[in-house]
Amino acid sequence: ESKVEAETDAEDKEEAKAKEEKVQAAKDVQAPSANNKTPEASLYIDKDFAALRKMVGVGPDAPIRLLNAGYLIDLGRDPNGKLQRRQDLPTEAFLAVEVSKHV
């Protein structure tokens, strides 16, 4: 085996080892799941969602209006589909008030 081939093999092994270490490091880091959140995280998450829920509404003056996923899917399937400004979207583009209150 030539010196160049030996160096190439060594570099390949180093790359493989570095990649393996990165994969292992990624496995070692776990984001807290909904079932495994700290009390502090739970407090902030629940508080933020409560504030968000208060802003979600219906009608053109609501600070936040949730879009209907079905409308977006249909829009994406249309070759000429283009998402318009909020003010120009039809009523069916938004979730009904009963649905948006459960989000």
Side-chain angles (χ1 to χ4, degrees):
E1 187 173 26
S2 74
K3 185 177 178 181
V4 173
E5 289 174 338
E7 288 175 358
T8 302
D9 287 344
E11 289 172 0
D12 289 344
K13 287 179 184 177
E14 285 180 30
E15 275 185 39
K17 185 178 178 182
K19 185 175 183 181
E20 187 177 315
E21 288 172 354
K22 284 182 183 180
V23 169
Q24 187 59 47
K27 287 180 182 177
D28 291 342
V29 176
Q30 292 181 335
S33 67
N35 298 330
N36 188 24
K37 54 186 176 181
T38 64
E40 296 84 13
S42 178
L43 173 69
Y44 292 116
I45 290 169
D46 294 342
K47 184 179 174 184
D48 290 342
F49 279 123
L52 178 63
R53 282 190 194 107
K54 289 178 184 177
M55 293 189 288
V56 173
V58 294
D61 296 330
I64 296 174
R65 294 180 71 192
L66 301 178
L67 291 175
N68 182 335
Y71 175 82
L72 293 173
I73 290 169
D74 292 342
L75 190 65
R77 289 182 178 155
D78 182 352
N80 298 319
K82 182 179 174 185
L83 187 60
Q84 302 171 4
R85 300 181 315 152
R86 172 185 159 162
Q87 303 91 309
D88 299 333
L89 289 173
T91 305
E92 62 269 10
F94 300 98
L95 287 179
V97 69
E98 301 84 32
V99 176
S100 60
K101 285 188 178 181
H102 295 306
V103 174

